Structure formats: C-alpha cells, structure tokens
Amino acid sequence: MSSQLFVEVLPTKPGRRLPDVYAYLPAGRGYHVQYRFVYTYFPPRPELGYSDRRKNTDNADFYRLSEAYVGTLEGESFTPAFRALQSGEVSLALREDGAGDFVGGCHGDERAEAIAFLLDGSPLYLETPAFYACRELMLRQDTLINRCHTPDYPLCRHRQVYRLTGDTVNLSQYVEWVNDAHLVTSAFMPMMTVQRLDPENTDRRLTNTAEFFARVGGERVAVFDTTPYGPTPPEGLPTMVLEGTHAHAVRLSGRESGLTCECGITFPEGSPLSDRVRCRLWLRFARDLDSKAYFDIGGGTTPTAGTVWEGEVYYRITMKEVTHQ
C-alpha cells in the first residue's frame, strides 16, 4: 500500500479563526479514508452550572478528529462512498461524579493553548486553501480541560500529538491534572464510533462483528455479532454489551462491505492504567447507527494535582477483499 498521503486545507468558515484540515490516507482496493480535523469553537455558557445537562457544545476552542469517510480520490477531488466513523469523540472524554455531562472533545470545556500542524516536519500554512501530497502529517495540540460548566476551574492539561503515516493515525496523549478532581465516574481513551449501517442507506450494512483483544496484537478475549441490530432498537436485545471487558484493542469489520476499523491503546511500562482499562460496546441508533467502542482508563479514580495519564492510541481504517461464497 502506498505510503503517500494527501492533506487539504479548507477555506476558513465565517466567524472562525482557523480552517478545517482533511487528511486522505490509503485504505486499499483503490479507496482512501478522509479524516476530518475540524476546528471547533463555541463560547462558554455562564448560565449553566456544574450539574446542568448541556444541549450542545460550549466552552470549546481546538481541533478534534470528527468523522471519517471512505471514498475515491481522483486528483484533488474526493468522492465519498460511505461514512466510516460517526462524529462522536475519539480522543478523550471524562465525567466527574455529579457533573451534568462529560468534558473533553465534542462535549466541550476544552480550549487550546497551542496548535501546530506539520507537513513532513515543516509548518503547514493554514491561511490559504490548498492541497498537498506528503509522507507525514502531524498535529501537535495543547489544551486545557475545565470542570463541567466551570471555566474558572481547570482540571487537566491535555497534550495530543497526532501522527498520520501510511494507513494509520497514531495519537500520543499526555494528561496532567492541575487541580484535584471529584470522583471520576468514567474517563474514555480512546473511543471508536464505527458505522454499523450506512446513514445514507440503512439497508447497507457496513460492519457485522466486533472483536476485543487483550493486548495490541494479542489474543482475542471477546466477540460480538451486531448483525441483528438494524436502524431501530430491537426489542429484547441489549444495546450496551461486553461491559467490563479487559482489553487494549478492538476490531470492527464487515463481511459484505470489506470495511475494517481498528483502534487500540498501549501504556508506558509500569503504568497502573494498563490493568485498569475496561471496555464496552454501545449499539446506537437514530442519526448515529454505529457500534461505539469505549476504553475506560480512569473510571472509579480520584486524580489529584500532579497525577499523569499517558497513552499511545492508533486508529486504522482499511478495505479488505470480500470473498463471496
């Protein structure tokens, strides 16, 4: 598979200070995957308190990986065939006890202190729309995550380094707590929002099987067939499955489509997070139509100032040859 990838800088949207950036990675069978780095900005909402539920993102100013599409790339023109990843969070999201919502990523309360895109090691020019060919795209981003609806109380600094090469997205994450937290009920790193059905054609099934693995490249410890799940919740079937699975990698694949989506996490040697991580799979409907894999690395802990979490995450979307029986 070619190691060349492509990067598109889009026009900056009205009212935004930075543009979206799309990366195109080879996926096999003549396809590319379009990963969308979306510049996200929403102001704080001072009328909301710690325990209030939010209806949309607030207090956000940073880049996040939001959606991925499989399609064909001809020159600088991309034609999507289907959405592979839904727009939910893939990086880091956590929730404290009593909070109205999660914080981090699409949940808000995360603001950038430094952002740098690098194309083969050189700064990427963002002021003008353009299309580039390269071997590597990097995004280095430092953000501050605040307590839910409490912008004057920072919880942690979140350093992310995305490195895109070949057919893989690697994401190095470093989280340093700058204040004491309440009990953290869940802290997910990573998450993978894989389409089960094509949202443009719900008769088209994109993935059938979810597999969890003890370690990256290790033995399979759990498998689940999502075939019985259509566009509406099926009566009598659970929508949250494989809860509590101790695993570090997941693979979701489609027998008919050939789509294979993989992600996983490794930790520094001796990290207590390695033994804590627990997974689950959430079958979702409505506009999502995905099977969302979660890796909970910090639920049930109460981080104090100075606590550090580190993880190396990868995402890979490929198209396999389909053998018809």
Side-chain angles (χ1 to χ4, degrees), residues 13-232:
K13 297 175 182 176
R16 296 291 186 262
R17 67 184 180 92
L18 293 169
D20 295 347
V21 176
Y22 292 176
Y24 300 91
L25 275 61
R29 291 176 50 194
Y31 289 99
H32 278 78
V33 182
Q34 179 196 67
Y35 290 97
R36 298 183 173 184
F37 288 94
V38 174
Y39 173 64
T40 302
Y41 174 80
F42 293 96
R45 296 169 64 196
E47 72 274 15
L48 296 177
Y50 174 70
S51 61
D52 290 332
R53 290 286 297 174
R54 72 177 103 222
K55 292 185 178 180
N56 34 49
T57 305
D58 61 279
N59 190 26
D61 185 356
F62 63 106
Y63 276 97
R64 57 179 294 263
L65 187 59
S66 176
E67 296 188 322
Y69 288 79
V70 172
T72 53
L73 186 64
E74 298 289 341
E76 299 181 3
S77 177
F78 179 75
T79 303
F82 56 83
R83 189 174 72 182
L85 297 185
Q86 193 264 101
S87 62
E89 189 52 35
V90 303
S91 174
L92 172 69
L94 61 95
R95 188 171 193 168
E96 293 180 284
D97 186 39
D101 200 356
F102 283 82
V103 296
C106 67
H107 303 280
D109 288 310
E110 182 166 12
R111 304 181 68 85
E113 297 182 310
I115 296 171
F117 280 98
L118 301 175
L119 203 67
D120 290 337
S122 298
L124 177 62
Y125 188 70
L126 298 177
E127 283 72 12
T128 303
F131 197 93
Y132 303 93
C134 62
R135 296 290 179 179
E136 177 185 83
L137 173 68
M138 293 185 68
L139 167 59
R140 297 175 179 171
Q141 179 169 246
D142 293 336
T143 62
L144 193 65
I145 296 179
N146 296 307
R147 176 161 285 165
C148 184
H149 304 317
T150 314
D152 59 348
Y153 191 92
L155 281 178
C156 50
R157 297 192 183 280
H158 183 203
R159 172 165 293 175
Q160 300 179 76
V161 180
Y162 284 91
R163 181 173 177 265
L164 283 65
T165 56
D167 61 0
T168 303
V169 177
N170 290 290
L171 171 57
S172 174
Q173 298 199 57
Y174 180 91
V175 179
E176 181 178 3
W177 293 80
V178 297
N179 277 307
D180 296 345
H182 299 318
L183 174 69
V184 174
T185 57
S186 301
F188 299 120
M189 179 205 295
M191 295 142 281
M192 200 174 199
T193 62
V194 177
Q195 293 295 158
R196 185 175 63 257
L197 304 176
D198 183 345
E200 299 298 324
N201 177 10
T202 57
D203 291 331
R204 185 182 189 184
R205 185 169 296 277
L206 297 176
T207 54
N208 308 80
T209 306
E211 304 167 274
F212 284 99
F213 299 87
R215 293 288 184 272
V216 174
E219 65 174 328
R220 189 174 72 177
V221 294
V223 61
F224 189 80
D225 182 7
T226 66
T227 305
Y229 293 80
T232 57

Side-chain angles (χ1 to χ4, degrees), residues 253-313:
S253 55
R255 292 187 291 271
E256 295 84 14
S257 68
L259 174 66
T260 299
C261 300
E262 306 167 79
C263 79
I265 186 168
T266 57
F267 300 96
E269 185 175 354
S271 170
L273 299 177
S274 182
D275 293 329
R276 291 195 58 87
V277 63
R278 293 293 184 270
C279 297
R280 68 185 73 169
L281 188 72
W282 186 15
L283 289 305
R284 304 197 300 176
F285 303 91
R287 63 182 181 182
D288 299 325
L289 298 175
D290 63 358
S291 302
K292 186 171 184 178
Y294 291 89
F295 293 72
D296 189 348
I297 67 166
T301 66
T302 308
T304 56
T307 299
V308 171
W309 293 349
E310 292 184 80
E312 298 287 337
V313 173

